[in-house]
């Protein structure tokens, strides 16, 4: 996030502040390791089979979330803007996107959107459009980004509005323009407020990324379904996959907690 | 002589409230003007119109030859006009010195070394150089307000606006802020001050103005306004605050 160029990190100087919730993560990892070593068949086989899906899930989530952080901020600033047109657009965007299930949106981007492009190409005689082919991963990233940007913009908006009006006035009275004031004064303060809900959005996105398994992306969930279809051991397969998701979400939760401590204001 | 602030017949509405009803005021370079009046009289609104923190509906304001019309003009004017707020409005996530250097670097494009040097010098001037690395929350109200004054001065403004700078302070901290303001006045800074500090007014102000219900009721040198006002409205107000 944007910090003032001269800002020192505000690390809390508290010794032995060990975060005990790491132990929970360690416990889950130990369970996975024990399962793999004590009964490699089927657990190691499952793990090897879904491994590529694990990386797909992680990279899909991280790329989408990076985009969500940017697009969500733009939507939030539009919603807070004085221009009626920008405000209206952003409000309609948030209301519409947040009102449609993510699964429906993902299916739209993968199946319906290419048909729309091809239809335009056919009727206007644009060959490049008629030949439009979808890339499942790209469409999944678009779907996740658009949906989560709508959620995230509300988180940003709440954070920005929680900073008193006087901060913006002080920054503007010193001659900073709107964007400078946002970047150096408002957002660095807002980020402390919104870190917990932003972390929450990240973890939710990580889990919701499993929905891309219905639109031809070979993420961890889809790999699990393929493995189950071939081997008929649903209990072991889904136990393994649930544990792997838990590793990811618990790890994300710890990282957020660590960031929160780093950004906490000195008292 | 051309006034450094020229306000001509400005009107301002907040929804249905007519907050400023045709106020006109000229301030000369080096002058210290004190504005008093009951709450809701429009004195803060008038002050905030001078650097366009508040938009006005009609009328004209010219600051140091720059009319407040376009956005570019407004940012230009704001760098020439320093403002001090009742609630200090220091940036709580930045240390004292960073509060003072931020706008210097971002707006004035000074190097970090230069900005820090200016900042340290100003902290010396307001008497709290030892607090450069403290955070605003660790300071008393009086110290915070002095940092806020230093932060505004770091932009080398030609005019300083003070919006009730001592009203949020505990009584024992008021004098340290007023002393800084008195020194500024002695150095010839043009100042417009919304405050009821009679002592400061007598010591430093060239003119005192009473506002009520969005209008200027009376203006005179502070001694005359406080002791021998012409208007009934002024007498009534002074009888309540003295």
């Amino acid at each position: 996030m944007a910090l003032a160029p001269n800002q020192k990190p505000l690390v809390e100087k508290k010794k032995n502040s060990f975060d005990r919730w790491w132990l929970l993560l360690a416990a889950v990892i130990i369970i996975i390791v024990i399962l793999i070593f004590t009964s490699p068949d089927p657990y190691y086989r499952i793990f090897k089979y879904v491994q590529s899906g694990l990386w797909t899930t992680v990279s899909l989530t991280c790329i989408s979330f990076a985009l969500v952080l940017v697009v969500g901020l733009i939507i939030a600033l539009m919603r807070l803007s004085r221009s009626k047109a920008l405000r209206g657009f952003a409000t309609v965007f948030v209301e519409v996107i947040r009102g449609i299930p993510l699964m429906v949106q993902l299916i739209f981007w993968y199946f319906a959107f290419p048909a729309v492009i091809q239809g335009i190409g056919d009727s206007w005689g644009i060959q490049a459009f008629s030949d439009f082919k979808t890339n499942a991963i790209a469409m999944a990233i678009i779907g996740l980004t658009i949906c989560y940007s709508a959620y995230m913009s509300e988180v940003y908006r709440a954070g920005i509005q929680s900073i008193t009006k006087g901060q913006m006035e002080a920054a503007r009275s010193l001659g900073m323009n709107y964007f400078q004031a946002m970047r150096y004064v408002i957002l660095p303060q807002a980020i402390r407020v919104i870190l917990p809900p932003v972390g929450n959005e990240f973890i939710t996105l990580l889990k919701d990324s499993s929905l891309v398994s219905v639109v031809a992306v070979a993420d961890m969930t889809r790999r699990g379904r393929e493995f189950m279809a071939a081997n008929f051991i649903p209990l072991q397969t889904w136990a393994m996959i649930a544990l792997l998701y838990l590793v990811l979400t618990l790890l994300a939760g710890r990282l957020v907690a660590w960031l929160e401590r780093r950004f906490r204001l000195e008292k | 002589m051309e006034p450094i602030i020229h306000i001509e017949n400005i009107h301002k509405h907040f929804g249905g409230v007519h907050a400023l009803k045709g106020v006109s005021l000229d301030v000369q370079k080096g002058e210290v003007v004190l504005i008093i009046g009951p709450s809701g009289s429009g004195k803060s609104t008038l002050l905030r119109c001078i650097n366009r923190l508040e938009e006005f509906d009609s009328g004209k304001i010219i600051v140091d030859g720059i009319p407040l019309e376009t956005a570019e003009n407004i940012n230009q004017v704001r760098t020439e006009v320093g403002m001090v707020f009742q609630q200090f409005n220091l940036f709580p996530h930045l240390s004292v010195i960073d509060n003072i250097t931020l706008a210097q670097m971002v707006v004035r494009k000074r190097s970090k070394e230069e900005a820090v040097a200016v900042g340290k010098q100003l902290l010396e001037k307001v008497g709290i150089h030892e607090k450069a690395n403290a955070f605003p929350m660790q300071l008393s109200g009086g110290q915070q307000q002095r940092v806020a004054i230093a932060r505004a001065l770091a932009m080398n403004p030609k005019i300083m606006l003070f919006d009730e700078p001592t009203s949020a302070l505990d009584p024992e901290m008021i004098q340290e802020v007023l002393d800084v303001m008195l020194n500024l006045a002695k150095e010839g800074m043009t100042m417009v001050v919304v405050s009821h500090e009679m002592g400061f007014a007598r010591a430093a102000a060239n003119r005192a103005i009473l506002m009520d219900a969005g209008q200027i009721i009376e203006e005179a040198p502070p001694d005359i306004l406080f002791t021998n006002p012409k208007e009934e409205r002024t007498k009534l107000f002074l009888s309540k605050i003295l």
Side-chain angles (χ1 to χ4, degrees):
Chain A
M1 252 303 71
L3 296 176
N6 46 358
Q7 186 177 357
K8 291 169 210 77
L10 304 174
V11 189
E12 217 189 24
K13 285 171 201 74
K14 199 173 136 201
K15 294 265 161 34
N16 63 36
S17 63
F18 177 69
D19 177 358
R20 276 170 297 171
W21 295 105
W22 283 104
L23 293 175
L24 186 57
L25 174 61
V28 175
I29 292 175
I30 288 168
I31 292 173
I32 294 175
V33 170
I34 289 175
L35 286 176
I36 285 178
F37 277 96
T38 55
S39 41
D41 189 19
Y43 290 110
Y44 187 61
R45 275 176 55 218
I46 300 170
F47 181 76
K48 284 309 282 183
Y49 193 85
V50 302
Q51 202 180 13
S52 67
L54 177 70
W55 295 126
T56 305
T57 291
V58 169
S59 48
L60 189 66
T61 304
C62 290
I63 293 170
S64 302
F65 197 69
L67 294 171
V68 165
L69 286 176
V70 177
V71 179
L73 178 59
I74 294 170
I75 303 285
L77 292 180
M78 284 165 76
R79 243 197 132 162
L80 294 168
S81 131
R82 293 163 102 178
S83 145
K84 263 200 176 133
L86 289 179
R87 219 166 51 219
F89 171 82
T91 308
V92 170
F93 176 85
V94 170
E95 294 294 336
V96 167
I97 294 297
R98 150 175 103 168
I100 299 172
L102 175 56
M103 174 93 92
V104 174
Q105 293 186 41
L106 289 169
I107 293 173
F108 170 85
W109 288 109
Y110 183 64
F111 293 105
F113 178 70
V116 171
I117 299 286
Q118 287 155 7
I120 292 172
D122 289 345
S123 53
W124 293 3
I126 308 169
Q127 198 56 39
F129 278 21
S130 297
D131 294 344
F132 182 77
K133 289 267 181 320
T134 43
N135 172 321
I137 297 256
M139 285 297 138
I141 289 174
I142 290 178
L144 291 174
T145 301
I146 288 183
C147 184
Y148 268 78
S149 295
Y151 304 156
M152 188 64 84
S153 73
E154 289 293 274
V155 173
Y156 275 121
R157 187 166 70 98
I160 292 169
Q161 286 182 328
S162 76
I163 306 302
T164 56
K165 207 165 132 249
Q167 291 288 309
M168 179 57 94
E169 289 184 349
R172 298 304 298 274
S173 78
L174 290 165
M176 287 188 224
N177 64 35
Y178 175 79
F179 292 102
Q180 290 167 335
M182 269 289 159
R183 167 152 181 228
Y184 296 113
V185 176
I186 307 297
L187 289 179
Q189 295 182 62
I191 196 170
R192 292 170 221 285
V193 181
I194 66 172
L195 252 175
V198 166
N200 199 43
E201 290 294 304
F202 180 78
I203 291 168
T204 315
L205 173 63
L206 183 66
K207 292 181 298 173
D208 276 357
S209 74
S210 63
L211 292 173
V212 303
S213 62
V214 302
V215 288
V217 177
D219 76 323
M220 194 154 68
T221 303
R222 190 182 181 89
R223 294 293 283 170
R225 275 168 51 195
E226 289 168 7
F227 188 87
M228 183 182 67
N231 296 276
F232 306 109
I233 42 170
L235 175 63
Q236 292 86 336
T237 310
W238 293 108
M240 188 67 179
I241 286 178
L243 286 169
L244 288 174
Y245 270 114
L246 254 183
V247 169
L248 296 180
T249 51
L250 289 174
L251 179 64
R254 288 309 91 214
L255 290 179
V256 173
W258 176 75
L259 279 175
E260 256 180 70
R261 280 199 304 280
R262 260 190 71 94
F263 278 99
R264 193 171 297 160
L265 268 189
E266 233 167 71
K267 290 272 147 56
Chain B
M1 200 172 77
E2 180 94 341
I4 192 160
I5 304 173
H6 174 70
I7 301 172
E8 196 177 308
N9 196 28
I10 61 166
H11 285 266
K12 164 79 186 170
H13 292 80
F14 287 109
V17 181
H18 200 169
L20 293 176
K21 299 171 187 164
V23 175
S24 298
L25 175 69
D26 280 341
V27 178
Q28 301 297 330
K29 195 168 185 305
E31 213 182 358
V32 176
V33 175
L34 187 90
I35 305 176
I36 61 173
S39 67
S41 60
K43 54 198 194 309
S44 284
T45 307
L46 176 65
L47 197 70
R48 291 157 58 84
C49 281
I50 296 174
N51 66 353
R52 209 60 182 292
L53 283 180
E54 217 68 78
E55 308 253 349
F56 44 92
D57 303 329
S58 64
K60 191 162 82 173
I61 297 185
I62 300 173
V63 177
D64 196 26
I66 309 166
L68 285 183
E69 278 156 8
T70 62
E72 302 86 75
N73 281 0
I74 289 161
N75 278 336
Q76 200 186 337
V77 162
R78 281 176 179 154
T79 58
E80 312 235 331
V81 180
M83 176 125 185
V84 175
F85 300 86
Q86 184 179 0
Q87 298 296 340
F88 329 134
N89 293 343
L90 291 178
F91 307 137
H93 61 301
L94 299 178
S95 68
V96 164
I97 191 73
D98 290 346
N99 261 278
I100 302 176
T101 56
L102 176 64
Q104 294 188 62
M105 294 192 289
V106 172
V107 179
R108 289 273 191 231
K109 308 289 177 207
R110 289 180 188 151
S111 71
K112 173 148 196 181
E113 293 71 36
E114 196 186 351
V116 169
V118 171
K120 291 226 160 119
Q121 198 190 336
L122 285 168
L123 282 176
E124 193 91 39
K125 181 168 171 169
V126 300
I128 36 175
H129 58 282
E130 75 282 3
K131 298 286 187 188
N133 294 314
F135 280 81
M137 274 184 287
Q138 298 165 328
L139 304 182
S140 72
Q143 290 171 328
Q144 288 192 49
Q145 194 60 297
R146 286 186 281 156
V147 172
I149 294 172
R151 179 176 69 176
L153 290 176
M155 303 301 286
N156 305 111
K158 294 182 180 160
I159 300 161
M160 286 284 282
L161 308 176
F162 293 82
D163 190 2
E164 309 209 25
T166 56
S167 345
L169 296 176
D170 290 338
E172 76 270 22
M173 293 168 183
I174 290 177
Q175 199 52 47
E176 65 192 48
V177 172
L178 291 181
D179 286 344
V180 170
M181 292 169 63
L182 275 171
N183 276 333
L184 267 183
K186 274 186 205 138
E187 287 169 15
M189 176 67 79
T190 307
M191 293 162 69
V192 182
V193 183
V194 171
S195 172
H196 294 154
E197 295 295 338
M198 301 297 168
F200 170 79
R202 286 207 166 87
N206 306 87
R207 253 194 301 165
I209 291 173
L210 180 96
M211 278 187 76
D212 188 29
Q215 285 171 316
I216 292 179
I217 304 295
E218 186 169 359
E219 59 175 288
D223 272 330
I224 296 174
L225 190 88
F226 295 156
T227 53
N228 195 11
K230 286 196 196 71
E231 303 289 331
E232 270 315 305
R233 188 68 195 83
T234 315
K235 285 176 194 159
L236 185 66
F237 177 72
L238 290 172
S239 74
K240 282 180 187 156
I241 64 163
L242 288 181

